[in-house]
Amino acid sequence: MPAPLISIHDLTVQFGPVRAVDGVSLDIFEGETLGLVGESGSGKTTLGRAILQLVKPIAGRIAFRGENLNGNMRSLRRHMQMIFQDPYASLDPRMTAGAIIAEPLRVWHLAKGRQIEDRVAALMETVGLDPGLRKRYPHEFSGGQRQRIGIARALALEPAFLVADEPIAALDVSIQAQILNLLDDLRKRLKLTMLFVSHDLRAVHHISNRIAVMYMGRIVELAPAEQIYGHPLMPYTRALVASMPSGAGQCRPALVGELSSSAKSSSGCPFRARCPYAIDECATRAPILDEIAPSHYAACIRIGAQAPDIDRVAKAGAGDV
């Protein structure tokens, strides 16, 4: 593995009484796409925004290439950019596409005059847009084209790290694959590192090298994409995979109930009320994200390196592994 580009240690973000991100520790390695998946309300977007210091953590540390981001984001902002979920809401309707893409260059004084025009044209071509459309306004573009404008703006400063926050959720299904392929191509061609946030496990599986599964502010499973999709360990992840329309894992128990902050307890597993494998001990013993198999981490008290299969553990009636 290359060195981590982003290192997160015990990160906590709180809104009122709710901990949207609860003690997350995570490394994102240079050149990879880390997928972050979970239901709406699981804390995915908040974690992405906290990494970029768009929301302030109450505890924890975030480092970019070993440099602490706390209080030092101004000097590092150009190296870390975001692609937003709604391409229309994230673009100023009073600015042309060319002006939107050029704005970061002007703010950072990286180019002027003809240099800006040439750079905007190159960026539009990079994301598959005709530079001749630079004088059009956002409402004159389709949803997919607007997202390409947002991607071009994010690339303007030649960042090393991108947070893509549900970048296909607001797009037509026919356009989603195009944007996914574009992001994957850009990562490889420009040697980018990316956090790809989505509730769509199929999209995350398609584009990611590794996948982190988030539930109620915590990372509950982390593994290479093929392992998450083919051999999920954590009951929550298994339920997510089972719910996919592809039919993967149809024999596994389906996910029931809804995510609720009232179910959360620091003394036990926050997933226990919805888990078909829950036992009494799940209410009192908090699971820890542990390496169950090589490079495969899961947070469940009922499984371990010697007994990773929750179905077999449950059949054996084991309460602790």
Side-chain angles (χ1 to χ4, degrees):
M1 268 287 187
L5 183 74
I6 304 290
S7 291
I8 305 164
H9 180 69
D10 203 21
L11 190 71
T12 300
V13 179
Q14 189 159 333
F15 300 122
V18 178
R19 286 198 169 186
V21 177
D22 189 5
V24 167
S25 295
L26 189 65
D27 286 332
I28 305 175
F29 295 97
E30 193 125 20
E32 80 166 336
T33 294
L34 177 68
L36 185 61
V37 70
E39 295 170 279
S40 296
S42 60
K44 308 182 304 297
T45 290
T46 301
L47 177 58
R49 289 175 175 267
I51 293 172
L52 299 185
Q53 303 289 286
L54 298 178
V55 296
K56 294 298 183 183
I58 62 168
R61 180 179 182 272
I62 307 167
F64 175 81
R65 289 181 175 151
E67 188 170 349
N68 195 349
L69 295 184
N70 296 346
N72 190 34
M73 196 59 196
R74 172 62 185 172
S75 63
L76 297 173
R77 176 68 68 189
R78 63 169 294 189
H79 302 297
M80 308 170 69
Q81 293 291 308
M82 189 164 191
I83 300 168
F84 295 92
Q85 176 176 345
D86 188 340
Y88 191 71
S90 65
L91 303 178
D92 190 332
R94 299 166 297 180
M95 297 175 68
T96 64
I100 289 169
I101 297 169
E103 186 175 30
L105 299 172
R106 298 184 190 280
V107 169
W108 283 86
H109 308 291
L110 297 179
K112 58 184 179 180
R114 185 65 188 181
Q115 292 177 325
I116 291 181
E117 293 183 19
D118 291 344
R119 179 65 177 147
V120 168
L123 285 164
M124 293 184 74
E125 289 179 346
T126 296
V127 299
L129 288 173
D130 180 359
L133 303 177
R134 73 179 74 187
K135 293 187 178 180
R136 290 190 181 182
Y137 290 86
H139 73 273
E140 299 179 275
F141 292 93
S142 68
Q145 288 175 321
R146 286 195 286 266
Q147 192 59 290
R148 290 174 189 268
I149 294 169
I151 294 170
R153 176 180 60 186
L155 295 176
L157 299 177
E158 300 182 347
F161 178 64
L162 288 178
V163 174
D165 179 24
E166 301 268 14
I168 62 171
L171 304 179
D172 292 340
V173 173
S174 60
I175 305 300
Q176 290 179 357
Q178 296 178 23
I179 298 300
L180 281 176
N181 290 333
L182 172 64
L183 290 172
D184 197 36
D185 177 66
L186 290 171
R187 178 189 65 83
K188 296 172 183 175
R189 187 151 39 107
L190 303 178
K191 296 180 172 58
L192 295 167
T193 302
M194 189 183 310
L195 177 67
F196 184 86
V197 179
S198 180
H199 63 273
D200 186 340
L201 193 56
R202 288 174 301 169
V204 171
H205 173 252
H206 175 77
I207 198 172
S208 303
N209 304 104
R210 292 187 302 148
I211 296 175
V213 181
M214 200 165 186
Y215 187 78
M216 297 195 70
R218 303 175 184 178
I219 302 298
V220 297
E221 190 158 353
L222 173 66
E226 292 300 328
Q227 289 296 312
I228 290 287
Y229 184 77
H231 303 285
L233 299 178
M234 165 69 186
Y236 176 63
T237 310
R238 291 161 64 94
L240 289 180
V241 173
S243 69
M244 294 173 62
S246 65
Q250 285 184 341
C251 295
R252 297 170 183 147
L255 189 61
V256 296
E258 296 183 1
L259 188 150
S260 170
S261 60
S262 63
K264 190 170 186 176
S265 170
S266 60
S267 62
C269 175
F271 184 60
R272 65 184 182 275
R274 304 172 69 189
C275 180
Y277 303 101
I279 57 176
D280 290 345
E281 192 176 356
C282 296
T284 58
R285 183 177 164 194
I288 297 172
L289 191 66
D290 198 12
E291 189 170 20
I292 307 299
S295 301
H296 196 150
Y297 299 80
C300 177
I301 67 168
R302 301 204 65 189
I303 60 176
Q306 302 304 314
D309 189 330
I310 186 66
D311 285 320
R312 292 186 180 181
V313 171
K315 286 179 182 178
D320 190 10
V321 178

